[in-house]
Amino acid sequence: MGSVLGNTISHSHRRTSRRFDPNIQRKRYWLPSEGRYVRLTLSAKAIKAVDSIGIEAAVARIRARGVKV
């Protein structure tokens, strides 16, 4: 996930460079199977996905990619 480049266009239609960054946040989840909290750095869209599928399934997917949790 990187940033996308674009332009800010003023009222007079002058253009200046800007970046569109993802909405990254750090969130702490309770992982009942391990009896501990895990802190994940997620985008806002990923937080909604974790809320939808559950933290256990999300951690399983993250570990399947080879990322340490």
Side-chain angles (χ1 to χ4, degrees):
M1 280 200 300
S3 60
V4 177
L5 298 177
N7 291 310
T8 297
I9 303 180
S10 69
H11 181 70
S12 64
H13 219 65
R14 289 185 60 126
R15 293 161 191 231
T16 54
S17 294
R18 62 162 291 183
R19 289 176 17 182
F20 293 89
D21 291 320
N23 187 1
I24 300 293
Q25 301 178 17
R26 291 188 61 167
K27 186 147 172 64
R28 194 173 79 147
Y29 289 99
W30 174 251
L31 198 57
S33 64
E34 299 182 15
R36 68 183 182 107
Y37 285 99
V38 292
R39 188 176 300 275
L40 302 175
T41 304
L42 303 168
S43 65
K45 187 173 180 178
I47 291 173
K48 292 175 187 176
V50 168
D51 291 343
S52 174
I53 67 173
I55 185 62
E56 296 288 344
V59 168
R61 286 186 189 180
I62 293 168
R63 287 183 173 149
R65 288 200 325 251
V67 179
K68 181 178 176 283
V69 176

